[in-house]
Amino acid sequence: MGPASSGIAVVLVANAPDRAAALAQSLEAADDRFAVESVGECETASRILRETAVDCLVTVGALDDDAGASCIAAVRDAHPALPIVWCPDEPVDGDALSAAVDAGATEVARPCGDRGLTPVLANRLDTVVGAARAVAEAERQQDRLDEFTNGVSHDLRSPLNVAQGRLALAQGEDDIGHVDDAAAAVDRTLELIEDLLTLAKQGSRPEVFELIDLSALAEQCWANVATGDATLVVDSDRQVLGHPSRLKQLLENLFRNAIDHAGPESTVVVGDIEPMYTTTRAESDLPTGFYVEDDGPGIPAADREAVFEVGYTTHDDGTGFGLNIVNGVADAHGWNVAVSESADGGARFEITGVESGD
């Protein structure tokens, strides 16, 4: 299970499995945005929370049973930001409310023994999940703002200082050669500004998604990048659900990165990631998406996480923002991006969690 962009994924735990299943069905009937997984043990609920994305945990029953305070406390320790709603069997007093909150409950709902109150519970879950999502988005935006500010202060200062120094030398020595160096520094500053502005836009989730022909967009992006004598091979017939201009930024930055590091005569491949079906994994659990890989020198395993950080570059003319922009685009779509080694020993970037129109 997992939350859709507007859905609400809930794990509901109650000592009586039949009761948990009945309440889960009642919640889904009350609001079609809910996808509720009902379980009879806290241990099972904890395993689901570790393995998949969940928006809220609901515990049902008495505070002293397995789905009560001990379960709430265990889940809270493992998932500090997860909304947890305790739904008692019957009305509780102030001491029980305090005990539930002390254990880590976000909210205490009306008694779940009354099926007529299911719409009230659904509304309560919608509220706490909405609040948690708003907090998470605000924190992410603040992190990106801090990242953006640090990038501006650090990376713009250097070329501007060069330009300032060269212009001072040109004035003092009457040497026009220094002006050329100053102009180059200004050009680099403008390039940095463009990348920083692109970076700043990546934190928010696109409002509109479209089905995009990956092959056609890859060819278009390739034409927009200075690729020299490099070759593009597109092995995909997939349509992906995303924001066209954001996906364009992702592909163009991956292409630039490949040319910068693999060379102007390299081969760059865009292809589909298809799940490897097994007897133990359900289809919905298997990663799908697409990859971009090259036949260059590759990226050392020790550097594969650092490449997505702002300012990381091994190229003399690199801004250090390209792969961070790639990561930002993926994150805003709810995708995952990882780097590994291609079959030819080059860099392979895998974008997974991508919904398609297949």
Side-chain angles (χ1 to χ4, degrees):
M1 65 179 293
S5 58
S6 60
I8 299 175
V10 177
V11 172
L12 189 152
V13 56
N15 286 349
D18 291 344
R19 182 182 181 195
L23 183 55
Q25 291 176 358
S26 183
L27 280 170
E28 291 179 344
D31 191 327
D32 60 10
R33 292 174 302 158
F34 284 98
V36 185
E37 181 84 11
S38 62
V39 298
E41 298 177 346
C42 189
E43 182 178 350
T44 304
S46 296
R47 177 182 57 77
I48 294 172
L49 293 171
R50 288 194 302 269
E51 295 178 355
T52 190
V54 174
D55 292 305
C56 185
L57 173 75
V58 178
T59 67
V60 181
L63 202 58
D64 58 358
D65 65 24
D66 182 60
S70 61
C71 182
I72 294 171
V75 171
R76 175 58 68 223
D77 287 343
H79 306 276
L82 179 72
I84 302 175
V85 175
W86 174 47
C87 198
D89 291 320
E90 54 188 27
V92 296
D93 58 21
D95 290 340
L97 288 172
S98 297
V101 172
D102 289 344
T106 309
E107 291 276 354
V108 176
R110 299 277 186 90
C112 287
D114 185 349
R115 287 292 179 269
L117 293 176
T118 299
V120 178
L121 175 60
N123 185 65
R124 180 66 61 86
L125 297 183
D126 181 32
T127 299
V128 297
V129 169
R133 287 177 174 175
V135 170
E137 179 64 17
E139 290 176 347
R140 187 173 70 165
Q141 292 287 3
Q142 184 61 53
D143 288 343
R144 297 200 68 81
L145 177 60
D146 293 342
E147 188 175 55
F148 176 73
T149 303
N150 291 335
V152 170
S153 63
H154 178 270
D155 292 284
L156 292 184
R157 184 178 293 115
S158 178
L160 287 175
N161 286 341
V162 170
Q164 186 179 46
R166 291 298 183 179
L167 289 174
L169 288 173
Q171 290 174 330
E173 300 175 6
D174 196 23
D175 184 351
I176 194 67
H178 292 303
V179 176
D180 292 336
D181 292 334
V186 170
D187 288 342
R188 177 163 176 76
T189 301
L190 293 174
E191 182 182 359
L192 285 166
I193 289 173
E194 183 177 354
D195 276 352
L196 283 164
L197 290 174
T198 301
L199 178 66
K201 297 175 183 177
Q202 300 313 315
S204 59
R205 180 176 176 82
E207 294 182 0
V208 179
F209 289 85
E210 301 175 14
L211 279 177
I212 305 164
D213 187 308
L214 182 61
S215 176
L217 186 63
E219 296 283 359
Q220 177 187 340
C221 293
W222 186 259
N224 293 339
V225 176
T227 55
D229 294 325
T231 301
L232 174 68
V233 176
V234 181
D235 183 19
S236 173
D237 57 1
R238 171 165 294 171
Q239 287 188 315
V240 300
L241 188 63
H243 190 278
S245 65
R246 298 278 189 95
L247 183 53
K248 178 174 176 286
Q249 291 167 351
L250 181 148
L251 289 171
E252 289 183 357
N253 277 284
L254 285 178
F255 291 160
R256 291 191 187 97
N257 181 77
I259 301 305
D260 286 346
H261 294 89
E265 297 181 357
S266 58
T267 297
V268 179
V269 181
V270 178
D272 296 333
I273 297 175
E274 299 290 354
M276 295 179 62
Y277 296 99
T278 71
T279 58
T280 59
R281 296 185 68 187
E283 180 179 348
S284 61
D285 294 331
L286 298 166
T288 60
F290 61 92
Y291 66 86
V292 177
E293 66 179 21
D294 59 58
D295 56 358
I299 299 172
D303 296 337
R304 289 176 185 170
E305 290 190 14
V307 297
F308 296 110
E309 297 175 0
V310 168
Y312 181 93
T313 182
T314 59
H315 196 272
D316 291 341
D317 296 326
T319 63
F321 297 124
L323 292 181
N324 188 264
I325 290 171
V326 168
N327 189 57
V329 172
D331 184 60
H333 280 79
W335 302 339
N336 298 311
V337 58
V339 60
S340 59
E341 184 175 312
S342 71
D344 295 318
R348 175 183 171 100
F349 291 87
E350 296 188 347
I351 295 86
T352 55
V354 181
E355 295 184 48
S356 70
D358 300 341

